[in-house]
Amino acid sequence: MNFELTEEQQMLQDSLRRFLANEYTFEKRRKIIESGQGTDAGTWQALAEMGLLAFTFPEEYDGLGGNGIDTMLVMESFGRALVTEPYLATVVLAGGLVRDAGSDAQKQAILPAIASGEKLMALATYEHGARYSLAHINTQAKNNSGGYELNGTKTAVIHGGQASQLIVSARTSGDTRSEDGITLFLVDANASGVSITDFATHDGFRTAEINLNDVQVTADAVIGKADQGFAALEKAIDQGIAALCAEAVGAMDAMMEATLEYTQTRKQFGTPISRFQVLQHSMADMFIQAQQGRSMSILAADSADSDDRDARRESISQAKLLINQGAREVGQSGVQLHGGMGVTDEMWAAHLFKRLTMINLLFGDADHHLSKVSDALLTKMA
Amino acid sequence: MNFELTEEQQMLQDSLRRFLANEYTFEKRRKIIESGQGTDAGTWQALAEMGLLAFTFPEEYDGLGGNGIDTMLVMESFGRALVTEPYLATVVLAGGLVRDAGSDAQKQAILPAIASGEKLMALATYEHGARYSLAHINTQAKNNSGGYELNGTKTAVIHGGQASQLIVSARTSGDTRSEDGITLFLVDANASGVSITDFATHDGFRTAEINLNDVQVTADAVIGKADQGFAALEKAIDQGIAALCAEAVGAMDAMMEATLEYTQTRKQFGTPISRFQVLQHSMADMFIQAQQGRSMSILAADSADSDDRDARRESISQAKLLINQGAREVGQSGVQLHGGMGVTDEMWAAHLFKRLTMINLLFGDADHHLSKVSDALLTKMA
Amino acid sequence: MDLNYTSEQEAFRQEVRQFLQDQLPDDISERTQKRLRLTKDMIVRWQQILHKQGWGASTWPKEFGGTGWSEVEQLIFEEECALAGAPRQLDFGLRMVAPVIMKFGSQEQKGQHLPGILDGSVWWSQGYSEPGAGSDLASLRTTAEREGDHYIVNGQKTWTTLGQYGDWIFCLVRTNKEVKAQEGISFLLIDMKTPGIDVKPIIMLDGEHEINDVFFDNVKVPVENRVGEEDKGWTYAKYLLGHERTGLANVGQWKAMMRRLKEIARQEQDDGHAIIENPRFRDRLAQLDAELRALEVTVLRVLTNSSGPGPEASILKIRGTEIGQRLFELAMEATGQDALAHIPDALEPDYDGPLAGSMNATPAAGDYFNMRKLSIFGGSNEIQRNIISKLVLGL
Amino acid sequence: MDLNYTSEQEAFRQEVRQFLQDQLPDDISERTQKRLRLTKDMIVRWQQILHKQGWGASTWPKEFGGTGWSEVEQLIFEEECALAGAPRQLDFGLRMVAPVIMKFGSQEQKGQHLPGILDGSVWWSQGYSEPGAGSDLASLRTTAEREGDHYIVNGQKTWTTLGQYGDWIFCLVRTNKEVKAQEGISFLLIDMKTPGIDVKPIIMLDGEHEINDVFFDNVKVPVENRVGEEDKGWTYAKYLLGHERTGLANVGQWKAMMRRLKEIARQEQDDGHAIIENPRFRDRLAQLDAELRALEVTVLRVLTNSSGPGPEASILKIRGTEIGQRLFELAMEATGQDALAHIPDALEPDYDGPLAGSMNATPAAGDYFNMRKLSIFGGSNEIQRNIISKLVLGL
């Protein structure tokens, strides 16, 4: 039982925060977003050079053997600075999935390339009509002589438009909602039959809609075993959720700081508005939420690597539930306490609020995760 | 569209409130409750003399032809003064049911006797295991040569121990949860085979557990038609809910007043605690809840007499839902704002809080009524 | 006590409904209901249709070309308009400056300004707020110094909604610095084409341009453009603020949005079923539905209460904005991850590019973001609670 | 960062669990878990069993007969005790006055008082609060005037929990009126059998007698019963208040109650099904379960944080009391209308009269009522939010 960071972790966090404070300013970020590229080569390369893209990969693949706590530290710092780089998509989701479920050859081909910053990837799994259900997969993969032929449409593919390679979940057997029969494939983004529509998101990220029309892949494009991809998919999404939780905690902290500063500066009726008791208690509640969120983010990070599915799922969904609720309260209160300024594009608080809102929608909203823990309660008791 | 009271209604309300303020004091009420009788003959007779027990009965049965709005006025005043007399049980539930569904002979025998204050009645319908489900009835009524023989156990019979006659719901056909097959019977409280266990409630009312063991009733004890009692039962409970809503509104108003007075009197750190902005906003929220409750209570009272089942049920459940939520917030905040004193038996606020809590449990808690309106939404949309 | 509409009121509702069915253009109605952008032309077109019917100003007395309707009739009209998908009329002219001109303006001001408001040809902006003032309106610093027949106006107004389209702006300006903050203020009508006025967009958090900063640099305003007496502008502004008893509740708009939300909940899918079938989502909807019903009854209670407007407007403002914000939050939640994509072009007419998910998702997050303003603008909900505790509860 | 207990800690947990299984009497455990009344004898009996084991004071250092356990071990011990249904030990002696005596008391005071606390033979009450003072402790008016070798104490204390059983009471009294409010206060230990002390019950809203008023009328207290220096009592009281970093969170108790609540939810019926099958009720439970988990992790974060106790105790107090109150609220809701009946006798041992519904309902509403005190006593949650905004956020 120990909640302290190691010396290495502390150093990592310090240097990352210093880098972001100096190099990833509000104006710089705005320019990156307005460029429409969806990623900034300079920033990405700097992250690679800091070793961040390799941190959680095994040492034999140019990694540093880090764990969920390391991802947490990175994502928390990203959340504070609202970094829009494809770290979640490339490193956490795709990289993590290959690390945990890929063959040696796949790891060899992919992990060092991610680590060096050359390769961007994305996980294409959600589908229309599924909402947050991971097993709801209609994309078909037909076994043929050359391997598999993929047909279907994927949505909400974070940074899908920037990836050179995708991981695509598809159905090799079973009905639409069945956990059995799902297979994971590596698909080149420029393969014939892949069409990608790239969208900006409200919070400066990118998302894509991906159409697969008779896309041919070879048998060695399969990650893990055919029909049995669900476990790896679910674990990757759980790691993604843990990462989002950490990002939200960083953004909540930043919202706290922005709000404390604003309310102590801004005067109304001749006094700083931070003197009003109602606003003080509102900030105290924000602080409590942020602290509770931090506890759950640590729990999620600690559980994310686990193969004990029930325990991992419980921690992850409990964390996302409470952090979503906290992010909503902190986000809304932060904007409210900024008054009219809070709803303008000029204010940092507005951007934090938008990201916190989008995090809540990603990979399951509060109700979704409440239903997960609630229904698990029933099973556990039976 | 008119929300004003008639002159008669205004007079009724004024005289009732005057009577309660003078004659139904905190100390008087405490003595009545401690007597363990569950009703106070003097108070009840005074209510009868004011015409309150007859107000909502037709004129041909010694009534005054009043409606749900009149019941609302009475119950709201009762709520303000926390009157523990068996008005809900006798007049609203049993009297209302006989008025709406009884035969002429039944009305003749019962309504004038209630009106004059001679007769107390109770509705015995809820059963163990049913929770708030009205159709969940296991008490059996077997048709025999003498009429019917009743067997079963009833619970949460408000003022059941004080009633001389009961209305008992029992199953004459159908399965436990079926709305069809429920029949309503008049049963004398001292009939052979009826055993009644009388309990005090936390808020100074009485409730009873009633066991029916081979209780024989004649065929003319049936109210309405055999097997078809559910509609009348449901309507009676809906009228009871509307009455409880009004009572809660009265108690919320009283809690508001008690809290305003206490916080303006009580000093801490050298100033009346009503000067603290956080407490001011808490009271503003209480006020908003009380006002919202008042709106819903009026809606419930206006709907309670209606035979348009879907519309009535929607209004009644929406009202109970919001009023329960409001009563919870107003009750908890009222106690909280009274500080340590709020959790002692000495304070009016504590008694208001307890009654508000018990009202929330009666005839369906917030979740129960939320499920009713929520599921109706689905049906309406289909 | 009688909660039913009278038969006259029901007949009136039918008449309005029939009119809307016949006269409200489909393109306008569809875009309004789906919460896509309307062009300026669409809004003017609709105002002109209303004006032709004699219904251009539902809240005005007949003598100025209004309908002379009762408050209940106004409510019915607004509700039917909202449910039919009619665009919101332009409040700044019709409901904010016009009542002040009608009550305190000169005969010339009435003749000059009311017709253009009525037919939608002249758009008004509001010049009340200033940077850093927020809910503390009386602290304003924009000055108007008398120079012969003119005032010379200098300063800055902000949060000027639709200022980019404004033909005229009504402003509170300081004409006297010697007296208490609220006493030296005058109410001016200013032609926005006057030299020295500069309008600069403020981009909102949803990326949209609906509000502006307006700068005044030695702007010459004829003295006859002052409404009422010099230094008494605060009284007129307060009259205007207190004029609306129930408008802040926005019941008609929210009922329309509730209907839209139920439609979205039937269309959006959750693991292959309509999300309305998900009991958790449905419960949130049912809860809000009940709250909206309570708001509606409260509005009717206030409207049919014989006493005049009072501080109950604060309750309606608080509950109205909370319910409105929640409606848009649920609409966003219903569309799930589809709401991530930001495709502003898709809000424009004739867009035929790609969408991320259904059309329901297109305005969802932007609307949610935008509606955070509801609890801030027009006296924040914290200020409203201060008002309740002081003016209603006497604390 | 490592969130697992060490193997030593796990072994310790096993040892505690085994001890409880062997030594905790069934009658006590069952009544505690079902939240029925315990007799004074049961509480003393349990304290003596613990004392015999050497575990009478889990928070004390070894030199005074305590266990010398680390904070994490204390937490494990409390949690296992709560889950096993052990009664709460008597905080006023063990955790409130004893730390002050150990830190500031004389050798004689230590020798006189600590053993009786340890073996449960002497019960202590707290004499801090006074009528009308509430969270403003320093405004106290009970006086102690020096007269030779004695203080003469006059005044009134209130909210004295278990005062009816108290053998001794520790009091804050005013010994100097000339200095600032917090500076003229002394800390006295008073034998409750001293003439002039009168204990009067305060009945709580649940009808129970657990707190009291204590009146002091010319009560003679030997000067050697003063702890530490005269006029420095406020310092000692603050030490005591700040001594507990995580106890206010009550995690062990709430985990036990959560387990009980789940049991109740499996037993209580809803239209013929266990209420746990009702998704709405289950969601409330699941929500609270998650919040309790967050509280637990927060407690562990604070405990293993190397810096000393700080204002984070306020967060734990707020969340701990909110979660506790909600637990009892849900337990009451689960029993529905059965919770109406008030049968105080049924809380006593050997009751075999009628019940309204199951035994789950018997303490349900009373507990819910009683627990409202949690957010009021010991510095109300409003005061805790003041502390956070001032001491943590620097506002």
Side-chain angles (χ1 to χ4, degrees), chain C residues 32-48:
Chain C
T32 306
Q33 291 188 41
K34 293 195 171 157
R35 302 201 50 82
L36 305 173
R37 288 195 199 120
L38 297 174
T39 60
K40 182 174 175 183
D41 164 69
M42 288 174 177
I43 291 166
V44 172
R45 190 153 38 115
W46 174 236
Q47 180 64 25
Q48 285 169 347

Side-chain angles (χ1 to χ4, degrees), chain A residues 361-376:
Chain A
L361 294 175
L362 282 166
F363 304 171
D365 61 11
D367 273 352
H368 174 79
H369 289 286
L370 179 58
S371 78
K372 291 285 172 193
V373 287
S374 179
D375 294 348

Side-chain angles (χ1 to χ4, degrees), chain A residues 266 268 328 336 354 367, chain C residues 132 135 205 271 284 329 375:
Chain A
R266 172 91 170 83
Q268 201 157 28
R328 174 179 185 263
Q336 182 76 21
K354 289 199 283 186
D367 273 352
Chain C
S135 296
L205 82 173
D271 203 7
R284 313 283 176 217
E329 188 170 21
S375 52

Side-chain angles (χ1 to χ4, degrees), chain B residues 33-67:
Chain B
I33 291 169
E34 284 171 359
S35 78
Q37 301 295 310
T39 174
D40 178 59
T43 304
W44 192 249
Q45 206 47 52
L47 297 177
E49 279 159 24
M50 292 169 77
L52 289 184
L53 309 185
F55 221 91
T56 60
F57 298 156
E59 293 175 19
E60 61 260 52
Y61 304 106
D62 297 357
L64 295 161
N67 59 21

Side-chain angles (χ1 to χ4, degrees), chain A residues 126 129-131 133 136 177 200-202 266 268-269 328 332 336 339-340 343 345 354 358 361-363 367 371, chain C residues 132-136 159 203 205 269 271-273 275 280 284 329 333-334 337 339-342 368 375-376 382:
Chain A
Y126 288 101
R131 199 170 156 83
S133 169
H136 187 107
R177 296 189 187 82
T201 65
H202 288 272
R266 172 91 170 83
Q268 201 157 28
F269 304 108
R328 174 179 185 263
Q332 291 183 352
Q336 182 76 21
V343 292
D345 185 63
K354 289 199 283 186
M358 297 285 112
L361 294 175
L362 282 166
F363 304 171
D367 273 352
S371 78
Chain C
S135 296
D136 184 10
W159 313 126
I203 301 303
L205 82 173
Q269 296 289 299
D271 203 7
H273 300 280
I275 190 157
R280 280 135 191 138
R284 313 283 176 217
E329 188 170 21
E333 282 180 17
Q337 298 184 126
L340 293 171
H342 183 215
Y368 167 69
S375 52
I376 297 170
E382 288 82 12

Side-chain angles (χ1 to χ4, degrees), chain B residues 108-180:
Chain B
Q108 205 60 260
I110 290 170
L111 300 185
I114 291 179
S116 68
E118 293 154 47
K119 189 182 185 77
L120 299 184
M121 292 183 70
L123 174 61
T125 188
Y126 287 102
E127 300 192 1
H128 290 299
R131 201 170 153 81
Y132 299 118
S133 168
L134 276 184
H136 187 106
I137 289 177
N138 268 321
T139 295
Q140 299 297 321
K142 260 196 208 137
N143 205 327
N144 63 17
S145 58
Y148 294 87
E149 189 184 83
L150 275 56
N151 278 287
T153 302
K154 294 294 180 177
T155 187
V157 185
I158 305 165
H159 283 112
Q162 289 67 43
S164 62
Q165 195 175 33
L166 307 167
I167 297 175
V168 174
S169 60
R171 189 155 290 290
T172 37
S173 69
D175 295 329
T176 303
R177 295 189 187 82
S178 163
E179 293 181 3
D180 291 332

